Amino acid sequence: MRRFFFYGTLLDHDVMALVIGRRLPPAAFTPAVLAGHARRRAKGMTYPVVVPSPAESVLGAVVGGLAARDVARLAAYEGPGYRIARLKVRIAGALETVSVFEPVAMRLQPSASAWDYALWKGRHKRPFVARLRKALSGRSAYSRP
């Protein structure tokens, strides 16, 4: 079982359930902070990437108890623009090492603008989820819409 830090669309419980094929209880999402990074909107996309930024930090959540099947589905969703990295996050004041989907520098470029979960949820979630449902219904291997 693995623990991952999520900082973007996978913070959304509906998106997470669609991707891994099961609904996690809200308590599975533990608030966490990734220091030394910033969350930026990926250029031309509605989802974020994290980039090193010494003076900033990213609020997100750690989800534990993810089975190999869950991780495989998450990796397929994230696609080739991300790799799994081990980074330290702060959970309830303690530093812990967890897995993070980190952008591959050459594939995804950050924009200058910060990514905001509440803004994404209000403005982009509905069409994003519709595209995700369509992608998931059409094939067994899939990537982010």
Side-chain angles (χ1 to χ4, degrees):
M1 298 293 206
R2 295 191 51 191
R3 295 184 318 153
F4 275 81
F5 174 76
F6 296 108
Y7 55 85
T9 58
L10 288 165
L11 290 171
D12 187 86
H13 297 207
D14 297 328
V15 172
M16 178 67 80
L18 283 169
V19 171
I20 66 172
R22 63 188 174 100
R23 185 162 291 278
L24 297 172
F29 293 78
T30 303
V33 177
L34 175 63
H37 288 76
R39 179 174 34 212
R40 299 284 183 258
R41 187 172 172 164
K43 280 187 181 175
M45 305 298 177
T46 64
Y47 54 82
V49 294
V50 290
V51 294
S53 181
E56 296 183 75
S57 60
V58 175
L59 300 176
V62 168
V63 175
L66 295 170
R69 175 186 171 277
D70 299 326
V71 175
R73 291 178 68 117
L74 288 163
Y77 166 77
E78 294 290 6
Y82 292 83
R83 66 173 170 246
I84 296 174
R86 302 282 291 163
L87 296 175
K88 291 187 184 300
V89 297
R90 190 165 298 283
I91 304 170
L95 277 179
E96 298 189 32
T97 301
V98 297
S99 297
V100 178
F101 283 98
E102 184 177 67
V104 177
M106 292 300 167
R107 294 192 181 250
L108 290 170
Q109 296 297 313
S111 69
S113 60
W115 185 86
D116 181 87
Y117 175 68
L119 179 65
W120 175 85
K121 193 171 181 177
R123 192 178 290 173
H124 301 289
K125 178 183 174 178
R126 183 172 291 176
F128 186 90
V129 167
R131 288 190 310 273
L132 180 58
R133 283 185 199 282
K134 186 176 180 180
L136 292 175
S137 69
R139 48 192 177 163
S140 58
Y142 54 90
S143 62
R144 184 189 305 264

